[in-house]
Amino acid sequence: MTILLFGITKDIIGTPTLSIPTANFTGNKTLKTVGDLRRFLTNGYPELAKLTSLAIAVNNNYAKDTEPINSYDEIALIPPVSGG
């Protein structure tokens, strides 16, 4: 599973993309949810949990934590943005 990172999430993780072997994330081949991914990422990168908001997009659409994800989905972490 490859995750695209933007803004501060890229700084926290230290790279513009993050690859997670599906077996590490799921523990098996069953579907997991956006919420499971969020917990997995904040456990591995505690600074992500400190953000005021962190949206996750799946296949170019904002996703709720209950939405299932697959290893072939395009996933992006979208941090809070400030206007100018």
Side-chain angles (χ1 to χ4, degrees):
M1 174 180 299
T2 299
I3 302 167
L4 305 174
L5 307 168
F6 298 96
I8 189 82
T9 63
K10 184 168 57 171
D11 297 336
I12 290 170
I13 294 175
T15 182
T17 61
L18 178 63
S19 293
I20 301 172
T22 303
N24 286 358
F25 172 57
T26 63
N28 58 37
K29 299 295 181 187
T30 62
L31 292 176
K32 292 294 180 174
T33 65
V34 169
D36 293 333
L37 176 61
R38 183 184 307 276
R39 284 185 290 284
F40 178 83
L41 291 171
T42 55
N43 285 337
Y45 302 93
E47 291 295 314
L48 290 175
K50 296 178 183 178
L51 298 176
T52 57
S53 68
L54 180 62
I56 297 178
V58 177
N59 299 323
N60 298 315
N61 294 304
Y62 286 103
K64 294 181 180 183
D65 280 354
T66 56
E67 186 169 328
I69 54 174
N70 295 293
S71 61
Y72 55 82
D73 287 330
E74 180 181 77
I75 299 171
L77 298 187
I78 304 169
V81 294
S82 59

